[in-house]
Amino acid sequence: MLTFFVLMLIMSVGATAGNKKREFRGAWMQFVNGMYLGMSTSQIQQMLLQQLDALQKDGANAIIFQVRGECDALYQSSIEPWSRYLTGVQGQPPSPYWDPLRWMIEQCHQRGMELHAWINPYRARMKTPAVLASNHILNTHPERAFEYGGLYVLNPGLKENREYILSVVDDIVKRYDIDGMHIDDYFYPYPEAGSPIPDDREFQLYNNGIQNRGDWRRYNVDTFVKEMGEHIHALKPWVKFGVSPFGIYRNKKSDPLNGSETNGLQNYDDLYADILKWVNNGWIDYCVPQIYWEIGNKAADYQTLIHWWNRYAGGRPLYIGEDVERTVKNADPQNPNRHQLPAKHALHEACKNVKGTVLWYAKSVTQNPGNYETVLRTDYWRYPALQPLMPFLDSEAPKRPRKVKPIWTSDGYILFWTAPKAKRWGDEVRKFVVYRFGKGEKIDIDNPSKIVKITTDRHLILPYDTGTERYTYVVTSLDRVGNESKVAKKKVKL
């Protein structure tokens, strides 16, 4: 248990760290831990609202929301059944009815946050026993899955499974106004000692001339990942495709040239996920390695791994997956009187290719262990941040807002503006950034401390006082991938 002195020391740390104007600040929201079970629609919504409100105050700008955990759905689907983790019975719709994905999109967008829909591609059933709905894939096509250590997995070696998963992806992208599609670290199952993956038949039939089974498995996953990105961008070019792999690519003993000084499970060799190929070929739009360990971990040192990812995976925006609870449970080796949040943050600042953070997980942040949330809110994420740029999706800025004008209304003094017209998706304005500058201050929109709000609204209530202080308000437009327009200015007296 941290003492009061240590907590206050933690609170004082970080004042020298600069806030970035562009930074991905996300949090995962999962459901397969059973957190919704036994709760009514209103209770679940209230819990999610509390978390969203807190995360907004903390400075978060993205939620990665799990909507498919075992070939099921946390949204209205004609392909897969409602999740048992929502209603208690797979295939049973929520009552009173609601669509959690659609609802979360609306709530996030109201708060100026992105919503990334998170699916698990291959997992068909968790290890916990369950009564499956009649339309679940394990009932309609049991021959396309295998059991491994109590887990049921859609066989990645079958083309029809790839096509099935992509039909689910297409359905979500077409029908929902999501900002991103996200997959996690479950490709081929995590290995269990003495238990080979049962894919002899598929390897014999569909090896495509690939002699090495490991290479063949990587080929299967490579093909799926490449096609998933192509499907997403063909439907909606602005939807970002992200992957959160296990935190180790390869150990140096397996790959002396490219491996890290670690000794743990490997994406490449054990999960058959060649993350670096996906990054370097531009098949994915962002990467979030789950570096959940502590600084000083003997098998997987956090400091070693963040430097490794910074060096090898900078070809696409790189965000770091952080475990909140493990961070605050471990002392900083260089300063045993405090936990590891300040030291980890300093490593982020030192790694030029690290463009953000995703926190595991949202609820743990809002419980504020070790004052983690407080430090985000008052220091590291004190000022709002825009999303990192993705010029490979779109690099052209939209036009500036029009008709910026302050008007007295019955609700007070309000600054209004209108969105510019758009001819193509890349011109369409989705959000606005409002800045405020005092009399004589230089207009510097690179300074995040001047951001008043990032909003989907087209108005802002001004804090009118005596009408004697002069300010300049600046409004800019943001397109679907975060490109920012030139400024539109208006001087006011407040």
Side-chain angles (χ1 to χ4, degrees):
M1 185 67 67
L2 292 170
T3 65
F4 176 78
F5 169 78
V6 174
L7 290 176
M8 295 309 294
L9 181 62
I10 291 167
M11 288 291 292
S12 69
V13 171
T16 59
N19 283 260
K20 300 175 181 177
K21 180 181 172 178
R22 289 190 178 271
E23 184 177 31
F24 193 89
R25 300 172 177 175
W28 281 290
M29 285 188 173
Q30 87 278 38
F31 69 78
V32 294
N33 63 343
M35 63 190 298
Y36 302 151
L37 291 176
M39 299 178 71
S40 66
T41 294
S42 62
Q43 288 173 328
I44 297 172
Q45 290 179 348
Q46 186 61 35
M47 177 181 68
L48 293 174
L49 285 174
Q50 290 172 350
Q51 292 181 24
L52 288 174
D53 287 343
L55 288 164
Q56 182 185 23
K57 292 176 182 177
D58 298 338
N61 59 19
I63 298 297
I64 299 177
F65 184 62
Q66 188 176 27
V67 298
R68 181 182 188 264
E70 50 176 13
C71 294
D72 55 1
L74 228 68
Y75 60 95
Q76 178 63 53
S77 172
S78 61
I79 301 173
E80 296 185 314
W82 283 101
S83 175
R84 63 186 170 114
Y85 288 98
L86 179 65
T87 65
V89 178
Q90 191 179 87
Q92 179 177 301
S95 180
Y97 176 83
W98 68 307
D99 184 323
L101 175 55
R102 191 171 303 280
W103 186 87
M104 279 292 292
I105 291 168
E106 293 171 355
Q107 294 299 324
C108 286
H109 288 177
Q110 287 174 16
R111 291 163 175 78
M113 297 177 176
E114 289 191 346
L115 188 286
H116 293 225
W118 161 24
I119 68 168
N120 182 280
Y122 297 107
R123 188 170 60 206
R125 202 203 76 184
M126 302 280 284
K127 291 185 178 182
T128 52
V131 176
L132 302 175
S134 60
N135 66 328
H136 189 271
I137 190 70
L138 289 182
N139 280 329
T140 59
H141 289 285
E143 76 283 359
R144 285 168 30 187
F146 58 75
E147 185 270 337
Y148 188 82
L151 187 76
Y152 283 82
V153 179
L154 295 183
N155 194 326
L158 294 174
K159 179 182 178 182
E160 49 265 51
N161 281 338
R162 186 167 71 249
E163 292 173 343
Y164 173 74
I165 299 165
L166 291 174
S167 74
V168 172
V169 171
D170 290 350
D171 180 54
I172 294 173
V173 175
K174 286 178 183 176
R175 294 193 297 118
Y176 291 90
D177 188 21
I178 58 174
D179 302 288
M181 281 294 303
H182 186 90
I183 59 177
D184 54 24
D185 54 321
Y186 291 96
F187 299 102
Y188 276 87
Y190 277 65
E192 297 195 4
S195 181
I197 293 172
D199 61 358
D200 289 347
R201 176 180 176 275
E202 289 73 26
F203 181 52
Q204 291 173 1
L205 291 174
Y206 311 116
N207 60 52
N208 297 306
I210 300 172
Q211 300 299 312
N212 179 278
R213 192 177 306 212
D215 290 340
W216 172 72
R217 289 172 179 167
R218 279 182 287 275
Y219 166 82
N220 294 330
V221 180
D222 286 348
T223 303
F224 165 71
V225 169
K226 184 175 185 291
E227 291 184 355
M228 182 171 173
E230 291 170 348
H231 273 239
I232 292 167
H233 293 144
L235 291 168
K236 292 180 179 177
W238 59 88
V239 172
K240 304 167 184 177
F241 176 30
V243 179
S244 57
F246 184 72
I248 298 173
Y249 174 68
R250 299 192 84 185
N251 300 311
K252 191 170 281 292
K253 67 181 181 182
S254 299
D255 184 347
L257 181 62
N258 297 312
S260 54
E261 291 284 359
T262 50
N263 186 28
L265 188 85
Q266 305 167 102
N267 275 293
Y268 184 92
D269 303 85
D270 301 314
L271 304 178
Y272 306 99
D274 192 351
I275 311 296
L276 290 191
K277 179 186 285 188
W278 310 343
V279 168
N280 293 327
N281 286 342
W283 295 350
I284 63 177
D285 299 322
Y286 68 88
C287 181
V288 193
Q290 299 173 29
I291 311 181
Y292 288 168
W293 301 277
E294 69 276 12
I295 298 170
N297 184 287
K298 292 181 179 179
D301 174 52
Y302 180 96
Q303 181 168 323
T304 296
L305 283 166
I306 193 172
H307 283 304
W308 186 93
W309 286 99
N310 178 67
R311 177 181 177 185
Y312 287 92
R316 280 291 188 259
L318 172 65
Y319 317 140
I320 302 301
E322 297 277 3
D323 187 302
V324 172
E325 294 178 2
R326 292 191 202 181
T327 296
V328 300
K329 285 180 180 178
N330 289 280
D332 180 351
Q334 302 302 316
N335 191 340
N337 289 324
R338 68 185 187 192
H339 61 54
Q340 294 194 355
L341 175 57
K344 286 186 174 182
H345 182 76
L347 287 170
H348 280 239
E349 294 293 299
C351 293
K352 68 176 183 178
N353 289 323
V354 173
K355 306 297 184 183
T357 309
V358 183
L359 303 175
W360 177 258
Y361 50 101
K363 185 177 180 180
S364 67
V365 179
T366 62
Q367 292 172 335
N368 200 23
N371 272 18
Y372 195 108
E373 181 184 36
T374 303
V375 175
L376 291 182
R377 188 175 299 191
T378 61
D379 195 343
Y380 300 152
W381 291 0
R382 178 181 177 184
Y383 303 117
L386 281 61
Q387 296 291 339
L389 291 169
M390 292 190 174
F392 46 86
L393 294 181
D394 178 45
S395 60
E396 186 175 338
K399 294 181 179 179
R400 73 186 80 193
R402 303 166 60 242
K403 301 178 182 178
V404 180
K405 187 176 181 180
I407 298 175
W408 280 104
T409 73
S410 58
D411 293 322
Y413 200 27
I414 301 179
L415 187 69
F416 289 94
W417 59 87
T418 60
K421 295 180 180 179
K423 294 182 179 180
R424 53 182 288 274
W425 73 264
D427 302 326
E428 183 180 344
V429 172
R430 297 289 286 178
K431 288 183 280 194
F432 303 91
V433 189
V434 183
Y435 305 81
R436 188 174 87 159
F437 300 91
K439 182 181 178 181
E441 277 190 301
K442 180 183 177 182
I443 304 299
D444 178 13
I445 65 170
D446 290 328
N447 183 352
S449 70
K450 298 301 179 181
I451 298 175
V452 177
K453 194 173 187 180
I454 301 171
T455 180
T456 56
D457 295 333
R458 301 182 185 189
H459 65 273
L460 179 74
I461 298 176
L462 299 175
Y464 185 82
D465 188 12
T466 61
T468 59
E469 296 293 327
R470 294 178 182 269
Y471 295 95
T472 299
Y473 276 82
V474 168
V475 187
T476 61
S477 306
L478 294 178
D479 66 18
R480 284 185 173 270
V481 296
N483 295 307
E484 187 174 20
S485 73
K486 295 180 179 179
V487 305
K489 299 184 287 188
K490 198 67 181 180
K491 292 182 179 180
V492 297
K493 288 184 179 181
L494 300 177

